[in-house]
């Protein structure tokens, strides 16, 4: 039985040729230097930070160069698939603002290089597998699980490399009659690539993130088509990236171990290799040592975490960019209001070693990003989050939208906007005291050196002033507060108080703090005059009265 006869016997239904596939997927007509990138997740229902990390590199490389960024669904590992897995992928990327030029969508494929779901591309893979069989580049393997396990045992015993190669590749050069007999017996089979490599050989390789590398050539006869008729990842991505004309493949450095296989397949098939960008692993500090972010240990590794915690998507994306490019923070300081798209992403600025993920730094980025937003934006984003995750807050904020937006406007804008919160689940704590339903005063935050009797006297005195107050701005209001100082042995002169604190019972700052805790229920709150104006005289008087002890 010749190689061609074997190919025809194994794949009688395949009548297409590689040349026909090439004609079906012609070169793209793009500007010179334009890059074609893809994100190719598996629909397992779990989207993690690594997915976003790589997708942002893909998106920037493509769109900064006038190229194409597409979505491909890699679903050939049927055991890992979950219902609605594709919907999860599309929903998550949409929420993170990653816009695909083509690829899989819920309404069907968008673009001329589909299908964009691997399980729908079986006829393409088999076309190339059949051709490889006919050329002797591949062969069927009838090994049982027990035989493969025995190979593994012997390799371990002999302290040899594990895998299917050399003398352990027991179906590589079997006589045609053995293959015929196995087929006649109905034995299940897989198709293996016939490697011509040797671990004695090294390959020099240029990675756009890692730089120049030297890797050992592949000598394994890897499976390219499984017994269920679906391709392995190794084979499928090589065929897909070639036919879809992917120019740059971005993936985590954990895939470096498979790089020799992929390079060998590209070369053996006569395909132009794409450029590879192997990104550094995402790490975090665990005590004094670093470790890889873990699905099991670190909730922040799951992208769902950012939605449920109310982390602004713009801030999460911006923080990831600080991990990706070492010069991003410098650029942001110089371009505080510029859109993120204006930053010139560069793979040369990527770290070749582990990128350290820091929740505290993420928090700082969130506060900076939110501080640049208008009250209207904060209102829209917070209510959108609260509708799903905090229905009480949603109800209070939307009950009187104008009132809520006025609250959010306090201290917003200007050269030094307030940075009280950066996460939507912090908004309730920040502004809760404006709503009677959430007001829970902590009077223990009154100035500790002012006795309760004096606190009560200050509050009563101020109520008399406030009932007849005509203060129209913060300055005139503060003058009214200062005027209370002499009758309680306080001073309105902060310099004098700092110079001789023992001479006074307190300062105007203490009176202002007494009023703040009474009205807002806590020591940390936005501008007190603005708060009181929004609450209205009746509510303020009620709170002042309630705080009198």
């Amino acid at each position: 039985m010749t190689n061609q006869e074997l190919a025809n016997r194994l794949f009688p239904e395949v009548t297409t040729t590689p040349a026909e596939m090439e004609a079906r997927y012609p070169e793209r007509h793009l500007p010179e230097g334009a890059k074609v990138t893809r994100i190719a997740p598996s629909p397992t229902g779990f989207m993690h930070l690594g997915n976003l990390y790589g997708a942002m590199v893909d998106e920037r490389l493509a769109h900064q160069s006038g190229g194409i960024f597409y979505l491909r669904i890699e679903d050939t590992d049927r055991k890992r698939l979950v219902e609605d897995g594709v919907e999860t992928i599309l929903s998550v990327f949409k929420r993170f603002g990653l816009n695909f030029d083509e690829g899989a969508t819920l309404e069907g494929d968008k673009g001329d290089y589909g299908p964009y779901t691997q399980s729908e591309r079986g006829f393409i893979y088999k076309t190339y597998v059949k051709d490889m069989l006919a050329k002797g580049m591949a062969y069927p393997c009838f090994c049982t699980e027990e035989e493969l396990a025995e190979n593994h045992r012997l390799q371990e015993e002999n302290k040899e490399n594990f895998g299917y190669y050399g003398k352990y590749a027991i179906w590589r050069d079997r006589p045609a009659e053995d293959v015929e007999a196995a087929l006649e017996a109905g034995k299940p089979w897989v198709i293996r690539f016939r490697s011509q490599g040797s671990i004695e050989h090294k390959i020099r390789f240029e990675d756009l993130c890692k730089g120049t590398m030297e890797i050992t050539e592949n000598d394994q006869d890897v499976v390219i088509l499984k017994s269920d008729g679906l391709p392995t990842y190794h084979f499928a991505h090589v065929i897909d990236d070639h036919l879809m004309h992917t120019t740059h493949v971005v993936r985590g450095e954990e895939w470096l171990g498979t790089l020799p296989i992929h390079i060998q397949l590209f070369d053996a098939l006569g395909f132009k290799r794409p450029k590879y960008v192997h990104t550094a692993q995402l790490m975090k500090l665990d005590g004094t040592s670093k470790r890889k972010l873990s699905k099991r240990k670190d909730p922040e590794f799951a992208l769902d975490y950012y939605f449920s915690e109310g982390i602004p998507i713009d801030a999460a994306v911006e923080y990831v960019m600080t991990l990706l490019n070492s010069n991003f923070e410098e650029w942001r300081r110089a371009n505080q209001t510029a859109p993120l798209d204006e930053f010139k992403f560069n793979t040369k600025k990527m770290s070749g070693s582990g990128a350290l993920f820091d929740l505290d730094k993420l928090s700082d980025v969130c506060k900076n990003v939110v501080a640049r937003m208008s009250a209207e934006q904060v209102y829209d984003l917070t209510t959108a989050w609260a509708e799903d995750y905090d229905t009480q807050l949603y109800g209070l904020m939307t009950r009187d939208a104008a009132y809520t937006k006025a609250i959010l406007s306090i201290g917003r804008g200007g050269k030094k906007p307030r940075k009280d919160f950066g996460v939507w689940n912090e908004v309730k704590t920040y502004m809760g005291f404006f709503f009677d339903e959430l007001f829970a005063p902590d009077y223990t935050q009154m100035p500790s050196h002012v006795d309760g009797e004096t606190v009560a006297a200050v509050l009563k005195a101020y109520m008399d002033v406030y009932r007849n107050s005509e203060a129209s701005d913060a300055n005139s209001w503060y003058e009214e507060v200062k005027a209370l100082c002499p009758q309680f042995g306080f001073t309105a002169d902060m310099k004098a108080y700092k110079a001789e604190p023992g001479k006074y019972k307190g300062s105007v700052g203490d009176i202002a703090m007494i009023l703040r805790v009474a009205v807002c229920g806590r020591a940390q709150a936005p501008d007190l005059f603005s708060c009181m104006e929004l609450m209205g005289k009746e509510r303020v008087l009620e709170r002042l009265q309630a705080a009198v002890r």
Side-chain angles (χ1 to χ4, degrees):
M1 183 167 51
T2 66
N3 288 334
Q4 185 64 65
E5 289 171 338
L6 175 62
N8 290 338
R9 178 161 182 177
L10 293 178
F11 300 101
E13 77 284 7
V14 177
T15 59
T16 49
T17 66
E20 290 172 319
M21 291 297 110
E22 301 290 332
R24 187 179 296 188
Y25 299 97
E27 289 286 344
R28 296 174 180 271
H29 298 293
L30 295 171
E32 185 177 353
K35 299 174 176 63
V36 179
T37 64
R38 48 75 167 174
I39 182 74
S42 297
T44 61
F46 179 71
M47 295 294 290
H48 56 77
L49 196 60
N51 295 132
L52 177 64
Y53 191 71
M56 284 179 58
V57 179
D58 283 310
E59 189 276 335
R60 287 291 76 205
L61 289 176
H63 290 159
Q64 279 188 175
S65 65
I68 297 293
F69 175 45
Y70 71 90
L71 173 65
R72 188 170 74 223
I73 302 298
E74 299 197 342
D75 62 344
T76 59
D77 187 350
R78 310 303 289 179
K79 295 177 182 178
R80 300 177 63 227
L81 306 187
V82 300
E83 188 177 358
D84 299 329
V86 174
E87 288 84 347
T88 298
I89 291 169
L90 292 166
S91 172
V92 167
F93 282 136
K94 182 179 180 180
R95 292 178 75 173
F96 275 97
L98 289 167
N99 299 311
F100 299 103
D101 302 298
E102 62 184 53
T105 75
L106 292 181
E107 294 75 37
D109 285 343
K110 173 187 174 183
D112 298 328
Y113 290 82
Y116 293 93
T117 300
Q118 287 186 334
S119 60
E120 299 173 13
R121 296 172 63 83
F123 71 99
I124 299 174
Y125 307 127
K126 288 180 180 179
T127 295
Y128 282 93
V129 169
K130 183 174 182 178
D131 185 67
M132 292 171 73
L133 281 166
K135 293 175 179 177
M137 297 168 59
Y139 61 93
C141 171
F142 301 87
C143 277
T144 63
E145 291 295 327
E146 291 75 19
E147 288 173 318
L148 293 174
E150 177 60 15
N151 271 1
H152 189 91
R153 187 192 68 77
L154 290 172
Q155 289 163 350
E156 185 172 36
E157 185 178 284
N158 297 330
K159 295 183 171 54
E160 295 173 305
N161 290 334
F162 295 123
Y164 197 88
Y165 65 93
K167 65 183 180 181
Y168 297 107
I170 56 181
W171 280 94
R172 177 182 172 114
D173 297 311
R174 291 286 275 270
E177 51 268 28
D178 287 0
V179 175
E180 179 74 34
L183 290 173
E184 287 296 327
K187 290 185 176 182
W189 47 266
V190 298
I191 302 298
R192 290 185 179 272
F193 171 61
R194 191 185 298 274
S195 173
Q196 302 300 321
S198 168
I199 59 172
E200 302 300 322
H201 299 155
K202 300 289 184 182
I203 305 169
R204 286 182 67 81
F205 177 79
E206 189 70 27
D207 185 88
L208 295 186
C209 179
K210 301 290 184 182
T212 302
M213 307 173 65
E214 192 174 77
I215 57 178
T216 302
E217 197 172 52
N218 172 62
D219 69 340
Q220 302 279 332
D221 286 4
V222 295
V223 174
I224 57 175
L225 195 75
K226 298 177 289 185
S227 58
D228 60 4
L230 291 172
T232 58
Y233 165 77
H234 303 304
F235 187 65
H237 101 274
V238 168
I239 300 298
D240 293 344
D241 284 335
H242 169 67
L243 292 178
M244 295 178 181
H245 303 283
T246 307
T247 63
H248 291 66
V249 172
V250 180
R251 58 187 190 178
E253 64 182 4
E254 64 269 19
W255 288 102
L256 276 171
T258 65
L259 185 60
I261 297 171
H262 302 155
I263 288 176
Q264 193 176 64
L265 283 169
F266 273 106
D267 293 350
L269 291 164
F271 298 163
K272 181 181 178 181
R273 300 178 192 170
K275 296 183 185 300
Y276 281 90
V277 184
H278 285 92
T279 59
Q281 290 185 334
L282 289 166
M283 312 291 285
K284 74 176 294 183
L285 281 177
D286 194 346
T288 57
S289 60
K290 295 180 184 179
R291 63 167 174 79
K292 183 180 175 183
L293 272 177
S294 162
K295 174 181 177 180
R296 183 172 57 85
K297 296 180 179 179
D298 306 305
E300 66 270 27
F301 190 51
L303 293 182
D304 281 349
Y305 170 85
Y306 299 87
F307 305 141
S308 63
E309 292 298 301
I311 293 170
I313 297 304
D314 287 352
V317 169
E318 188 150 314
Y319 177 64
V320 171
M321 190 58 76
T322 69
L323 300 176
L324 285 170
N325 261 199
S326 59
N327 60 328
F328 176 76
E329 290 179 82
E330 180 183 354
W331 176 85
R332 175 51 81 198
R333 284 193 292 270
N335 302 273
Q336 294 186 16
T337 60
L340 189 65
D341 286 354
E342 291 184 10
F343 173 69
K344 300 302 181 184
F345 176 81
N346 190 336
T347 55
K348 292 181 180 178
K349 296 293 185 179
M350 294 177 69
S351 170
S353 56
L356 187 61
F357 187 88
D358 183 347
L359 279 172
D360 289 336
K361 189 171 181 180
L362 171 61
S363 176
D364 289 341
V365 171
C366 287
K367 288 179 179 179
N368 289 331
V369 169
V370 171
R372 296 196 296 266
M373 293 180 179
S374 67
E376 188 84 26
Q377 286 176 298
V378 175
Y379 175 84
D380 289 344
L381 292 169
T382 304
T383 53
W385 171 83
E387 188 172 13
D388 291 332
Y389 298 101
D390 190 333
T391 54
Q392 183 192 37
L393 178 63
Y394 177 77
L396 292 172
M397 291 184 70
T398 57
R399 183 171 64 195
D400 184 344
Y403 175 63
T404 305
K405 290 174 186 178
I407 296 169
L408 294 171
S409 295
I410 298 174
R412 191 162 294 279
K415 293 183 178 180
K416 291 185 178 181
R418 292 181 64 91
K419 298 179 182 180
D420 298 275
F421 61 88
V423 181
W424 308 137
N425 70 7
E426 297 171 344
V427 173
K428 191 173 192 175
T429 300
Y430 165 73
M431 63 186 295
F433 66 87
F434 280 98
F435 302 94
D436 291 338
E437 295 90 334
L438 299 178
F439 184 57
D442 179 7
Y443 298 132
T444 65
Q445 295 187 33
M446 292 288 184
S448 58
H449 60 280
V450 181
D451 62 80
E453 186 177 334
T454 302
V455 167
V458 168
L459 291 172
K460 289 176 182 178
Y462 181 71
M463 280 192 281
D464 291 337
V465 172
Y466 183 61
R467 285 190 181 94
N468 303 302
S469 173
E470 296 183 0
S472 58
D473 56 39
N475 289 331
S476 56
W477 169 81
Y478 195 55
E479 289 301 318
E480 291 179 346
V481 175
K482 288 166 66 175
L484 295 173
C485 288
Q487 61 183 297
F488 299 106
F490 285 57
T491 178
D493 186 344
M494 292 303 297
K495 289 184 179 179
Y497 182 70
K498 288 179 181 179
E500 298 180 275
K503 188 177 177 180
Y504 308 96
K505 290 183 68 174
S507 71
V508 65
D510 294 315
I511 291 183
M513 181 59 70
I514 291 169
L515 299 178
R516 182 182 299 276
V517 174
V519 173
C520 302
R522 61 194 192 209
Q524 296 295 320
D527 175 68
L528 182 56
F529 174 73
S530 299
C531 292
M532 292 168 66
E533 269 203 318
L534 276 176
M535 289 181 190
K537 185 164 287 189
E538 182 179 345
R539 183 184 292 175
V540 169
L541 285 171
E542 287 176 356
R543 293 190 177 184
L544 291 171
Q545 183 63 56
V548 174
R549 291 177 289 174

